[in-house]
C-alpha cells in the first residue's frame, strides 16, 4: 500500500490519468464488479422509472383478488390487501436506495473530514476522538439506530438517514485516518508545508486525492451495511411510514400470512433485499481487487 | 521484580482502555437520553404531592443534571441494581428479573452460533485455501461471498417460511428451555442458529482462507513440505495455528454484531431473549432498562475481547511479543 502510494504521489497528471484508465479497464473486465453494477443498475432504474411501468399501481387494492398465489396476471401473487406484490417490489426499491445512498454519502463526508483531521494533526485531539469513536462502536449499531429513532420520531426517513450516517462515521473515520497517517509521512506533504500552503489546502487538495481508493472502497462497504440496516429497521417498523411500498415494511406487514402458507408476499421482498445487498458487495469486492488494498 | 511489574503493567495497559470503552459507551448513551424530546421526568414520574415527586426524582437520579444522573445509574449498576421497568402510574419491576430469564436464552443462542460457525468455517476455510483457485474453491468462495452479504434476518425469514412452514420440518417459532425438553430445545434453536450462522460462517471462512493462503507461502511451510510431511500434517499442525489469530479476533469482535442480530432473529422466531426485551424496551420507552441492557452488552463485548486477547497469546506466542513491544 505505502509503496504504491509513493508511486502515485510522485507521478505527473498524465501518468495519473493513465493509471485511472487502466483501473477502469480492469474493472470492466472484473466479472463480480460487472454483475454487481448490473443488478444495482436494475434496481436504480426501478427506483426512478418503476412507478410508470409496473402492471398495477403499488397501492392499488383489488379486493376481488386477495392473497392469490403467483400466476400470469399477478407474477408474484397478491397480498392480504389485494395489492400486487410484483408492483410493490419494483416500486419498493426507491425508498431503500435513496435512504441508503443518502446515509452513506453523509457518513462518508463526516468520517472523511474527521479522519483527515485526526490523522493529520494527531496529538491529544486524535486520541480523544479515537477513544470516543471506539466507545460508540462497542454498542451494536442497530441498537443505537433503533433507540434514537424510537425515542425521537419513529416514522421519519430523514431522521433515520442522519442516524445511520452518524453510526457509520466512526468506521469511515478510522479507515481514512489510517490512510492519512501513512500519507502524511511523504515528501509532498512536507513540501506543501514548506511552500506555506494553508492547512485546508494540504488536507483536501494534496492528501485527499491520494487516499481516495480506500475511501471509495469504504463507501461501497458502508452502502452494503446501510441497505442491511435500513431493511432491518423498516422490518422492525422503525424509520418508515406503515403501509408504504418498501421491502422491509412489506415483509413485516405480511409476516403473519406465512402461517397460512402464503409465502409470496414476504419471500419476494426478502429476495429483493438479498439481491441488492449482494450486488453492492460484489461492487466493493471488485473495487478492492482493482485498487489492491 | 522488574519482570513482575512489567506483567502487571501489560495487564493494566490492556484493561484500562477496555474500562474506558465501557465507561464511554454508557456515558454517551446516558447523554443521548437527556436529548430526548420527551423528558425522562414526563415519562416516569407519577403525579402526586411535591414530597412524593421529590422522592421519585431522587430514587431515579433525576434530581440533578445529566452527569449526576449518569453517576447515579453507574453507582447502581456497579452494585448490581440494574434499574426498573416503570409502568404507567408508577408501578415498578426490577430489570434484573427480566434479565434473569432473558440473558441466559440469548447467551445460549450466541454461544451456539459461535460454536456452530467455527465448527463449519474452520474446515471450510482450510479446504478452500488448500484448493485456492481451483473450481471447488471458486464455487464455495462465491457462494460464501453471496451468503456473507445477505442480511441474517432474510435467511431467518426464508428458513422460517420454507423449512418451518412449507416443509414443516422444524417449529417456525417458539422457545423451549433445555431443562424442560432437550429435544424440543434443540428443535426450536436450529432455525434461529442457522439464520445467524450462515453469514457468520461465510465471514469466518473467508478470513481463515486468506490467512491460510498467506501462511502457506511462508518458508517454514516449504521446509515442512520438503521434509516430506503429509499435507494434512502441515495444514493442521503448522498452518492452522498461526492462521487462526485473525479468525479468533474477528469472532470476538463479531459478538456485538451477533447481539444486534439476535434482536431481529429473536423477534422473527418469538424467542424471549435479550433481543426481544430490548425491542420491547425501545418501543415502550423503558429507557432505564435500556441503559442497563446496553451496558451489559458493552461489558460482554469488552470481556470477550479481553479473553480473546489472552487466548491468542497462547495460540500464537508471536502476538504476545508484538503487543508487549
Amino acid at each position: 500500500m505505502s509503496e504504491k502510494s509513493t508511486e502515485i504521489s510522485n507521478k505527473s497528471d498524465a501518468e495519473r490519468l493513465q493509471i485511472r484508465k487502466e483501473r477502469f479497464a480492469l474493472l470492466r473486465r472484473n466479472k463480480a464488479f460487472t454483475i454487481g453494477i448490473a443488478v444495482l443498475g436494475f434496481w436504480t432504474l426501478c427506483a426512478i422509472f418503476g412507478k410508470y411501468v409496473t402492471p398495477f399501481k403499488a397501492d392499488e387494492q383489488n379486493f376481488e383478488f386477495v392473497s392469490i398465489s403467483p400466476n400470469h396476471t399477478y407474477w408474484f401473487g397478491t397480498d392480504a390487501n389485494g395489492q400486487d406484490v410484483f408492483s410493490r417490489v419494483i416500486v419498493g426499491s426507491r425508498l431503500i436506495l435513496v435512504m441508503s445512498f443518502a446515509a452513506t454519502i453523509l457518513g462518508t463526508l463526516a468520517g472523511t473530514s474527521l479522519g483527515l483531521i485526526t490523522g493529520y494533526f494527531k496529538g491529544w485531539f486524535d486520541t480523544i476522538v479515537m477513544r470516543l469513536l471506539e466507545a460508540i462502536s462497542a454498542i451494536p449499531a442497530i441498537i443505537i439506530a433503533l433507540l434514537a429513532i424510537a425515542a425521537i420520531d419513529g416514522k421519519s426517513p430523514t431522521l433515520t438517514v442522519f442516524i445511520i450516517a452518524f453510526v457509520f462515521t466512526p468506521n469511515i473515520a478510522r479507515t481514512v485516518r489510517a490512510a492519512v497517517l501513512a500519507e502524511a509521512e511523504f515528501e509532498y506533504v512536507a513540501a506543501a508545508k514548506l511552500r506555506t500552503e494553508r492547512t485546508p489546502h494540504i488536507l483536501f487538495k494534496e492528501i485527499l486525492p491520494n487516499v481516495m481508493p480506500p475511501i471509495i472502497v469504504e463507501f461501497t462497504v458502508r452502502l452494503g451495511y446501510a441497505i442491511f440496516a435500513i431493511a432491518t429497521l423498516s422490518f422492525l417498523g422503525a424509520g418508515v411510514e406503515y403501509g408504504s411500498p418498501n421491502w422491509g415494511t412489506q415483509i413485516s406487514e405480511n409476516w403473519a400470512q406465512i402461517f397460512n402458507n402464503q409465502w409470496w408476499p414476504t419471500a419476494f421482498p426478502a429476495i429483493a433485499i438479498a439481491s441488492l445487498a449482494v450486488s453492492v458487495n460484489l461492487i466493493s469486492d471488485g473495487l478492492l481487487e482493482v485498487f489492491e488494498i | 521484580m522488574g519482570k513482575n511489574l512489567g506483567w502487571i503493567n501489560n495487564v493494566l495497559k490492556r484493561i484500562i482502555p477496555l474500562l474506558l470503552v465501557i465507561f464511554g459507551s454508557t456515558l454517551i448513551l446516558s447523554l443521548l437520553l437527556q436529548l430526548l424530546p420527551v423528558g425522562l421526568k414526563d415519562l416516569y414520574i407519577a403525579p402526586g404531592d411535591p414530597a412524593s415527586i421529590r422522592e421519585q426524582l431522587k430514587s431515579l437520579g433525576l434530581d440533578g443534571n445529566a452527569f449526576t444522573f449518569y453517576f447515579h445509574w453507574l453507582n447502581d449498576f456497579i452494585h448490581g441494581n440494574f434499574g426498573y421497568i416503570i409502568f404507567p402510574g408508577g408501578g415498578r419491576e426490577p430489570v434484573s428479573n427480566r434479565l434473569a430469564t432473558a440473558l441466559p436464552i440469548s447467551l445460549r443462542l450466541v454461544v451456539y452460533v459461535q460454536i456452530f460457525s467455527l465448527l463449519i468455517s474452520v474446515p471450510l476455510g482450510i479446504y478452500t485455501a488448500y484448493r485456492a483457485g481451483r473450481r471447488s474453491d471458486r464455487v464455495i468462495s462465491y457462494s460464501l461471498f453471496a451468503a456473507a452479504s445477505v442480511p441474517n434476518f432474510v435467511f431467518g425469514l426464508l428458513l422460517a417460511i420454507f423449512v418451518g412452514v412449507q416443509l414443516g420440518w422444524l417449529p417456525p417459532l417458539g422457545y423451549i428451555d433445555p431443562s424442560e425438553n432437550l429435544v424440543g430445545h434443540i428443535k426450536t434453536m436450529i432455525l434461529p442458529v442457522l439464520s445467524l450462522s450462515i453469514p457468520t460462517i461465510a465471514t469466518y471462512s473467508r478470513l481463515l482462507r486468506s490467512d491460510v493462503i498467506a501462511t502457506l507461502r511462508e518458508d517454514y511451510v516449504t521446509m515442512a513440505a520438503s521434509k516430506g510431511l503429509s499435507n494434512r500434517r502441515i495444514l493442521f499442525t503448522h498452518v492452522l495455528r498461526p492462521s487462526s489469530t485473525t479468525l479468533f479476533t474477528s469472532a470476538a469482535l463479531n459478538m456485538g454484531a451477533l447481539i444486534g442480530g439476535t434482536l431481529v432473529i429473536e423477534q422473527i422466531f418469538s424467542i424471549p431473549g435479550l433481543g426481544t426485551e430490548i425491542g420491547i424496551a425501545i418501543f415502550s420507552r423503558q429507557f432505564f432498562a435500556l441503559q442497563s441492557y446496553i451496558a451489559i452488552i458493552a461489558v460482554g463485548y469488552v470481556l470477550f475481547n479481553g479473553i480473546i486477547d489472552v487466548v491468542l497469546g497462547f495460540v500464537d506466542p508471536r502476538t504476545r511479543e508484538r503487543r508487549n513491544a
Side-chain angles (χ1 to χ4, degrees):
Chain A
M1 166 82 203
S2 60
E3 259 173 52
K4 206 174 160 66
S5 308
T6 355
E7 234 171 73
I8 298 169
S9 312
N10 294 338
K11 278 184 177 166
S12 67
D13 285 350
E15 280 167 312
R16 277 193 201 184
L17 200 71
Q18 184 60 33
I19 291 174
R20 207 167 292 169
K21 266 189 191 159
E22 276 167 20
R23 278 180 179 165
F24 191 68
L26 274 176
L27 273 182
R28 272 203 317 207
R29 260 179 281 141
N30 188 307
K31 229 189 247 167
F33 183 80
T34 320
I35 296 172
I37 285 286
V39 176
L40 181 65
F42 169 74
W43 286 123
T44 312
L45 287 179
C46 288
I48 302 172
F49 302 110
K51 60 178 171 183
Y52 306 113
V53 296
T54 51
F56 298 89
K57 284 230 163 56
D59 45 9
E60 181 182 313
Q61 297 186 327
N62 194 336
F63 291 109
E64 283 166 47
F65 301 102
V66 167
S67 301
I68 292 179
S69 59
N71 58 37
H72 283 300
T73 333
Y74 300 103
W75 294 347
F76 290 177
T78 62
D79 63 18
N81 296 322
Q83 292 169 318
D84 180 38
V85 176
F86 177 72
S87 305
R88 285 178 82 75
V89 167
I90 295 292
V91 176
S93 58
R94 191 186 191 108
L95 193 62
I96 190 165
L97 271 178
V98 171
M99 284 173 76
S100 50
F101 265 100
T104 317
I105 291 171
L106 275 176
T108 308
L109 288 179
T112 304
S113 320
L114 211 56
L116 276 173
I117 295 169
T118 51
Y120 183 70
F121 291 111
K122 298 179 222 172
W124 58 268
F125 177 70
D126 173 46
T127 316
I128 292 176
V129 172
M130 281 302 133
R131 283 275 164 257
L132 246 161
L133 297 184
E134 202 172 304
I136 294 179
S137 26
I139 313 172
I142 200 80
I143 293 181
I144 303 185
L146 203 52
L147 175 69
I149 292 165
I152 302 171
D153 180 357
K155 302 288 170 208
S156 159
T158 321
L159 177 76
T160 312
V161 164
F162 276 103
I163 290 166
I164 290 176
F166 169 78
V167 174
F168 282 175
T169 304
N171 307 64
I172 299 163
R174 221 177 284 169
T175 310
V176 177
R177 175 179 171 271
V180 171
L181 276 180
E183 207 65 28
E185 301 298 320
F186 288 121
E187 281 98 355
Y188 75 93
V189 178
K193 277 187 200 162
L194 278 179
R195 291 199 307 269
T196 64
E197 298 279 11
R198 282 163 51 242
T199 313
H201 175 91
I202 298 179
L203 283 180
F204 291 99
K205 287 273 162 77
E206 302 278 350
I207 297 180
L208 184 60
N210 290 313
V211 293
M212 274 320 270
I215 295 177
I216 293 171
V217 173
E218 186 68 26
F219 177 85
T220 52
V221 170
R222 289 298 135 197
L223 184 63
Y225 281 114
I227 290 166
F228 180 116
I230 289 164
T232 309
L233 288 172
S234 52
F235 168 69
L236 291 171
V240 286
E241 222 39 84
Y242 194 76
S244 61
N246 170 41
W247 297 338
T249 320
Q250 266 170 278
I251 294 171
S252 64
E253 283 171 357
N254 294 300
W255 181 233
Q257 302 301 323
I258 69 155
F259 300 104
N260 303 329
N261 277 332
Q262 291 158 16
W263 51 270
W264 51 91
T266 39
F268 287 115
I271 293 167
I273 292 173
S275 75
L276 184 60
V278 172
S279 76
V280 171
N281 277 287
L282 284 172
I283 293 173
S284 67
D285 203 50
L287 287 173
L288 202 66
E289 217 167 89
V290 170
F291 286 138
E292 288 170 26
I293 44 173
Chain B
M1 184 66 194
K3 220 178 176 187
N4 282 339
L5 278 179
W7 179 80
I8 292 170
N9 201 10
N10 277 325
V11 171
L12 281 182
K13 235 189 243 166
R14 234 171 275 169
I15 287 177
I16 289 174
L18 295 182
L19 287 177
L20 278 179
V21 167
I22 296 179
F23 182 75
S25 53
T26 50
L27 179 64
I28 289 170
L29 189 71
S30 182
L31 296 180
L32 273 181
L33 292 184
Q34 302 295 323
L35 296 176
L36 300 180
V38 282
L40 293 171
K41 290 176 192 172
D42 309 329
L43 277 175
Y44 303 119
I45 303 299
D49 57 276
S52 95
I53 287 182
R54 214 173 307 127
E55 182 62 28
Q56 288 183 55
L57 283 174
K58 195 159 188 282
S59 73
L60 295 174
L62 288 170
D63 51 348
N65 60 30
F67 288 95
T68 56
F69 169 73
Y70 175 69
F71 285 106
H72 178 96
W73 170 84
L74 188 66
N75 186 39
D76 277 359
F77 187 81
I78 290 169
H79 290 95
N81 175 3
F82 298 145
Y84 298 93
I85 290 167
I86 300 163
F87 300 108
R92 290 180 183 185
E93 184 192 342
V95 170
S96 43
N97 278 4
R98 300 278 183 105
L99 272 176
T101 55
L103 192 58
I105 295 175
S106 290
L107 275 180
R108 243 174 240 144
L109 184 59
V110 170
V111 169
Y112 294 162
V113 170
Q114 290 282 32
I115 292 175
F116 182 70
S117 303
L118 287 172
L119 275 181
I120 304 285
S121 57
V122 168
L124 213 56
I126 295 177
Y127 178 77
T128 48
Y130 181 56
R131 313 284 291 182
R134 309 271 189 90
R135 164 163 266 170
S136 58
D137 164 53
R138 285 214 305 269
V139 171
I140 297 175
S141 292
Y142 272 115
S143 334
L144 288 178
F145 177 78
S149 24
V150 175
N152 46 28
F153 81 91
V154 172
F155 284 117
L157 293 168
L158 296 177
L159 283 173
I161 291 176
F162 293 109
V163 183
V165 179
Q166 296 288 313
L167 296 170
W169 289 349
L170 290 160
L173 55 83
Y175 174 78
I176 298 171
D177 203 73
S179 61
E180 239 173 82
N181 177 351
L182 191 61
V183 177
H185 174 71
I186 294 171
K187 274 187 181 168
T188 51
M189 289 305 253
I190 289 179
L191 290 183
V193 168
L194 260 185
S195 21
L196 281 167
S197 296
I198 295 171
T200 316
I201 290 172
T203 320
Y204 290 177
S205 37
R206 275 160 57 88
L207 277 175
L208 187 62
R209 175 179 178 272
S210 60
D211 268 16
V212 168
I213 289 177
T215 316
L216 282 173
R217 292 204 193 106
E218 299 248 4
D219 289 340
Y220 72 89
V221 175
T222 322
M223 167 74 188
S226 63
K227 272 200 307 190
L229 292 186
S230 69
N231 282 339
R232 179 180 306 222
R233 181 94 189 266
I234 294 175
L235 277 177
F236 285 91
T237 55
H238 293 282
V239 174
L240 183 57
R241 232 164 89 139
S243 305
S244 53
T245 49
T246 325
L247 177 64
F248 281 116
T249 317
S250 81
L253 289 172
N254 197 32
M255 289 307 287
L258 269 184
I259 292 166
T262 58
L263 188 85
V264 185
I265 294 298
E266 284 180 5
Q267 294 199 4
I268 291 177
F269 292 101
S270 303
I271 297 170
L274 188 60
T276 306
E277 283 299 333
I278 289 178
I280 294 172
I282 286 173
F283 284 106
S284 59
R285 305 193 162 190
Q286 293 297 341
F287 293 114
F288 293 107
L290 254 182
Q291 190 163 16
S292 297
Y293 292 150
I294 291 172
I296 286 166
I297 291 174
V299 171
Y301 176 85
V302 163
L303 267 182
F304 270 106
N305 279 293
I307 294 170
I308 284 295
D309 254 11
V310 176
V311 171
L312 280 186
F314 287 109
V315 174
D316 188 353
R318 287 178 304 175
T319 62
R320 209 160 23 186
E321 281 147 31
R322 230 178 284 145
R323 268 181 218 160
N324 292 356

